[in-house]
Amino acid sequence: MNKVVLTPNALVIADQKEFLSTLERDMANLVKCEKALSDYLDTKRRLFPRFYFVSQVDLLDILSKGQTPRLVERHLSKIFDNIHSMKWVDQDDMDCKEAVSFLSGEREEVPFLSC
């Protein structure tokens, strides 16, 4: 595949033997990867059914940034009805993981109860 990048003429590459079999093998591997990813996302959706409301791209973003809730905040409106944003203990710290309330789409603040 490195030759493909370095050769500007596609006909020269396509004419080489083994090129078609290489493409078919790579395509089969890609299909396997897509199936494995789809299965992984499906298990996450079964654990938390609200993930069915987000696309695969959004779900991947949520799962990859799960340790930083402030980065996941932009997906809340897709998962929960009428949650626009969160209010954090430290609004300036991106690593803050403690929320004190959420804001609805109408900017109504709903505080969390402390236990």
Side-chain angles (χ1 to χ4, degrees):
M1 285 317 223
N2 291 335
K3 289 181 192 177
V4 174
V5 174
L6 300 174
T7 306
N9 190 346
L11 292 176
V12 171
I13 293 296
D15 224 12
Q16 293 180 358
K17 65 179 182 178
E18 302 298 322
F19 181 67
L20 180 60
S21 62
T22 301
L23 281 180
E24 289 171 342
R25 185 190 68 230
D26 290 347
M27 188 63 182
N29 288 336
L30 180 61
V31 168
K32 281 184 196 174
C33 287
E34 287 175 339
K35 173 81 170 97
L37 176 62
S38 179
D39 291 345
Y40 172 74
L41 294 179
D42 193 45
T43 59
K44 296 301 179 184
R45 284 183 168 125
R46 275 189 254 124
L47 289 172
F48 189 67
R50 289 201 171 263
F51 283 155
Y52 283 104
F53 298 110
V54 296
S55 69
Q56 283 192 346
V57 173
D58 288 336
L59 184 53
L60 278 173
D61 192 43
I62 291 167
L63 294 174
S64 68
K65 296 175 181 167
Q67 294 299 315
T68 313
R70 300 282 301 264
L71 298 176
V72 178
E73 183 179 13
R74 66 187 187 102
H75 298 289
L76 286 176
S77 63
K78 299 171 191 169
I79 300 171
F80 300 103
D81 192 28
N82 205 21
I83 292 183
H84 183 264
S85 63
M86 305 284 281
K87 193 171 185 183
W88 303 92
V89 171
D90 185 358
Q91 287 294 115
D92 298 327
D93 183 13
M94 283 301 288
D95 292 327
C96 180
K97 295 182 181 182
E98 188 176 347
V100 292
S101 63
F102 71 85
L103 299 169
S104 71
E106 294 81 25
R107 299 290 185 204
E108 176 185 5
E109 186 173 349
V110 180
F112 295 129
L113 299 175
S114 34
C115 299

